[in-house]
Amino acid sequence: MDIFSMEQWSPYAVGIGIGVLSWFTFLLSDKPIGASTAYARTAGMLEKLLRGEKVGEMAYFKKFPPVVDWEGMLVAGIVLGSFLSAWLSGTFRLEWVPSTWAVSFGSSPLPRVLAALAGGFLIGFGSRWAGGCTSGHGISGTFQLTLSSWISAICFFIGGIITAFLLFSFGT
């Protein structure tokens, strides 16, 4: 099948596919698509290794127990699907520093790793603060016409554009 070996798909086709996936998710599980809670649950599972059952007494983990659930499987599926897509299209390669980053910041992996960690922390913090992530608000929330999700999605785009502009303006 040629579609699985294409380097890129049309963003319109992907958008339609995500919309159809949201329909099936609501239809079959009555749950919206989201991923950030999976990271919080994973952090809870790691903390549980150190603190034991006391983790389950925390208010957040009483509401969202630190277990592997459907969101965790969704995140695992995203990673597996990304790998398969890159492998089937012949674009898979291991690299620490992408060429766009190397042009602006050099080929050392340390700044790239630090920026990725800082970005991951900020998006995780923001997702917990906003009660959802880019997929929860940007896909599922806007799909349900939730005003707070539309505001969040607009802010995601504005923040992303500003961050990319600042990051790559200072880097060159």
Side-chain angles (χ1 to χ4, degrees):
M1 292 199 175
D2 289 342
I3 193 168
F4 293 115
S5 61
M6 294 171 58
E7 255 184 62
Q8 292 181 332
W9 288 7
S10 161
Y12 302 108
V14 173
I16 291 169
I18 290 172
V20 170
L21 177 64
S22 290
W23 293 344
F24 282 108
T25 303
F26 275 113
L27 183 68
L28 298 175
S29 69
D30 199 27
K31 297 190 183 299
I33 290 176
S36 60
T37 304
Y39 293 104
R41 287 180 195 263
T42 301
M45 287 186 283
L46 293 173
E47 186 177 350
K48 197 172 179 179
L49 292 174
L50 300 173
R51 295 187 58 222
E53 296 303 320
K54 287 185 176 184
V55 173
E57 297 171 9
M58 297 171 69
Y60 183 84
F61 291 125
K62 284 182 180 177
K63 188 174 179 183
F64 302 102
V67 296
V68 176
D69 68 342
W70 68 273
E71 284 182 323
M73 299 309 292
L74 176 67
V75 171
I78 291 169
V79 172
L80 180 62
S82 299
F83 170 75
L84 285 174
S85 176
W87 182 61
L88 290 172
S89 67
T91 59
F92 178 78
R93 63 185 176 279
L94 294 174
E95 64 180 358
W96 280 97
V97 181
S99 60
T100 304
W101 180 274
V103 167
S104 298
F105 300 103
S107 59
S108 172
L110 184 60
R112 172 77 173 156
V113 169
L114 292 176
L117 287 172
F121 172 79
L122 289 173
I123 199 166
F125 181 76
S127 295
R128 293 301 84 210
W129 192 14
C133 60
T134 51
S135 56
H137 279 298
I139 297 171
S140 299
T142 55
F143 183 69
Q144 298 173 76
L145 302 177
T146 306
L147 179 61
S148 62
S149 292
W150 279 97
I151 292 170
S152 295
I154 290 168
C155 290
F156 295 151
F157 278 99
I158 292 170
I161 291 167
I162 291 171
T163 301
F165 177 76
L166 291 175
L167 195 61
F168 288 102
S169 292
F170 287 127
T172 55

